[in-house]
């Protein structure tokens, strides 16, 4: 009887210990979840997104749009947007560390309707007419970012440092995810940054006047813009949208342009940081595998099939080069 009582007491003690351990674990989980969802943490993440958008945009403008877009205006376009972290929670699958808590959340970014409307208005300076939504959607799809009108959504991971540095910032973002959302936002906001005055053959012209002229097509033009429309060329000035390289319809020259774009892509890819390249390897493979299907959907109907494929592959490769440059920011 006494032995049975001892067993019962031991079982009770073990049960109590298990309850205490379970309670301690539940408390720790709640504390970590609260840390992930802390408003100050969300505010820091918003600042990080804005900083990365500024860096990505500055690099793109310097390379492709220096005379056309003001990078600071593009970044300012994000100022009136709302950035929220929804369903922020502790990532229980991550390795336990005494230095940091790993979190997951859904990043929601809603751009101002006024900003987006201005971006749509001046989009022909950056993209072909009527191609704005398609181009932004393409970038979002590649970057695994969901887009609905003026809303952009991405599932993210980030760490909260339990012992932040002297700077006081305690959030460490996933660099690849951060670049992807910055690339997507940059593509959406670039037209918003078109300067009030643009240069046509050395002359300063108000952008609204230049915008009207962008829709004039020169008769008998033998080039194609973005793989689908004749280049938007002013009959007298020869001005054309800065971001849409002219793709020749001469077969030998078109193949040369495609080869040059592919060589440039290889160079940019090879020069990426090893960690970045590894994080993008699967995505790059999917991009290569999707080229044929995308060009079947997007090929210009007014071109012979082979020429249309070359023009499309050249355009998409040039886009990919500009995209990957954003991951090589110093």
């Amino acid at each position: 009887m006494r032995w049975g009582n001892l067993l019962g007491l031991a079982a009770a003690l073990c049960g109590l210990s298990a309850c205490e351990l379970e309670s301690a674990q539940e408390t720790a989980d709640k504390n970590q979840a609260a840390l992930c969802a802390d408003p100050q943490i969300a505010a820091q993440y918003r600042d990080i997104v804005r900083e990365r958008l500024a860096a990505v945009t500055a690099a793109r403008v310097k390379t492709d749009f220096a005379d056309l877009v003001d990078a600071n205006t593009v970044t300012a376009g994000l100022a009136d947007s709302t950035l929220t972290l929804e369903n922020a929670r502790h990532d229980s699958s991550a390795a336990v560390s005494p230095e940091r808590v790993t979190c997951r959340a859904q990043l929601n970014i809603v751009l101002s309707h006024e900003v987006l409307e201005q971006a749509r208005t001046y989009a022909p300076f950056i993209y072909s007419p009527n191609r704005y939504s398609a181009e932004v959607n393409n970038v979002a799809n590649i970057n695994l970012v969901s887009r609905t009108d003026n809303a952009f959504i991405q599932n993210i991971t980030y760490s909260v440092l339990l012992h932040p540095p002297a700077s006081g910032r305690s959030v460490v973002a996933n660099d690849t995810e951060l670049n992807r959302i910055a690339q997507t936002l940059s593509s959406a906001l670039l037209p918003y940054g078109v300067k009030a005055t643009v240069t046509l053959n050395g002359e300063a012209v108000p952008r609204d006047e230049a915008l009207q002229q962008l829709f004039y097509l020169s008769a008998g033009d033998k080039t194609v813009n973005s793989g689908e429309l004749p280049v938007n060329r002013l009959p007298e000035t020869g001005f054309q949208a800065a971001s849409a390289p002219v793709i020749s319809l001469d077969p030998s020259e078109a193949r040369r342009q495609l080869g040059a774009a592919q060589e440039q892509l290889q160079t940019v890819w090879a020069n990426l940081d090893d960690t970045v390249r590894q994080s993008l390897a699967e995505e790059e493979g999917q991009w290569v595998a999707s080229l044929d299907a995308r060009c079947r959907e997007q090929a210009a109907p007014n071109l012979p099939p082979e020429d249309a494929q070359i023009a499309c592959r050249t355009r998409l490769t040039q886009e990919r080069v500009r995209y990957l440059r954003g991951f090589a920011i110093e």
Side-chain angles (χ1 to χ4, degrees):
M1 191 70 173
R2 182 178 298 173
W3 182 248
N5 290 338
L6 288 175
L7 287 177
L9 178 60
L13 290 174
C14 288
L16 180 60
S17 176
C19 287
E20 290 175 344
L21 288 174
E22 183 178 352
S23 177
Q25 183 60 50
E26 288 177 349
T27 300
D29 289 341
K30 289 179 181 178
N31 290 339
Q32 291 172 337
L35 184 61
C36 292
D38 188 295
Q40 291 186 353
I41 297 302
Q44 287 187 21
Y45 198 94
R46 287 195 293 270
D47 290 341
I48 292 173
V49 170
R50 291 188 173 99
E51 290 168 5
R52 185 56 60 89
L53 172 66
V56 166
T57 300
R60 294 185 69 179
V61 169
K62 181 180 179 180
T63 303
D64 299 308
F65 309 105
D67 296 329
L68 185 64
V69 174
D70 179 74
N72 292 330
T73 302
V74 175
T75 305
L78 195 63
D80 293 331
S81 64
T82 60
L83 286 78
T84 58
L85 299 182
E86 301 292 337
N87 193 27
R89 62 200 183 278
H90 169 233
D91 184 1
S92 57
S93 65
V96 177
S97 168
E99 302 296 328
R100 64 178 65 197
V101 173
T102 303
C103 307
R104 290 183 177 273
Q106 178 179 287
L107 173 65
N108 296 339
I109 301 177
V110 181
L111 300 181
S112 158
H113 280 290
E114 291 76 11
V115 167
L116 204 60
E117 187 59 33
Q118 181 169 321
R120 287 195 183 100
T121 298
Y122 297 114
F125 284 103
I126 306 298
Y127 308 109
S128 298
N130 306 317
R131 287 286 301 171
Y132 175 69
S133 290
E135 296 291 350
V136 176
N137 281 339
N138 283 341
V139 173
N141 289 337
I142 290 172
N143 289 339
L144 309 177
V145 177
S146 300
R147 176 184 178 236
T148 304
D149 190 29
N150 64 327
F152 297 82
I153 299 173
Q154 185 182 47
N155 292 322
I156 60 170
T157 57
Y158 55 98
S159 297
V160 179
L161 301 181
L162 300 179
H163 307 287
S167 63
R169 173 163 286 177
S170 59
V171 176
V172 178
N174 180 297
D175 206 52
T176 300
E177 294 171 353
L178 193 59
N179 268 324
R180 285 171 172 167
I181 193 64
Q183 288 278 358
T184 305
L185 293 175
S186 180
S187 296
L189 292 172
L190 270 175
Y192 177 76
V194 171
K195 297 176 181 178
T197 301
V198 298
T199 302
L200 305 183
N201 265 11
E203 295 185 9
V205 177
R207 66 185 174 193
D208 287 337
E209 180 181 331
L211 181 67
Q212 292 180 0
Q213 298 182 72
L214 274 175
F215 289 94
Y216 296 160
L217 303 179
S218 60
D221 201 334
K222 300 235 179 135
T223 56
V224 65
N225 185 27
S226 293
E228 68 169 2
L229 291 174
V231 67
N232 299 320
R233 190 188 302 280
L234 289 178
E236 297 180 359
T237 66
F239 174 80
Q240 61 194 47
S243 72
V246 176
I247 300 170
S248 175
L249 295 190
D250 175 77
S252 59
E253 175 62 14
R255 286 183 173 82
R256 187 200 67 77
Q257 289 180 334
L258 176 58
Q262 291 171 333
E263 183 177 344
Q264 193 174 28
L265 179 61
Q266 292 174 358
T267 300
V268 172
W269 178 257
N271 289 336
L272 290 176
D273 180 82
D274 288 344
T275 302
V276 174
R277 191 164 52 247
Q278 290 173 8
S279 70
L280 292 172
E282 182 178 355
E283 175 192 311
E284 185 72 6
Q286 292 174 347
W287 179 83
V288 172
S290 70
L291 268 180
D292 287 340
R294 290 179 65 189
C295 282
R296 280 194 296 270
E297 296 174 356
Q298 301 179 25
N302 59 323
L303 296 177
E306 184 177 356
D307 293 342
Q309 281 285 317
I310 291 175
C312 178
R313 291 178 75 91
T314 301
R315 174 175 63 84
L316 294 182
T317 303
Q318 291 167 342
E319 289 176 0
R320 188 67 178 174
V321 168
R322 290 194 290 270
Y323 166 72
L324 290 177
R325 280 177 183 152
F327 290 89
I329 299 171
E330 297 180 356

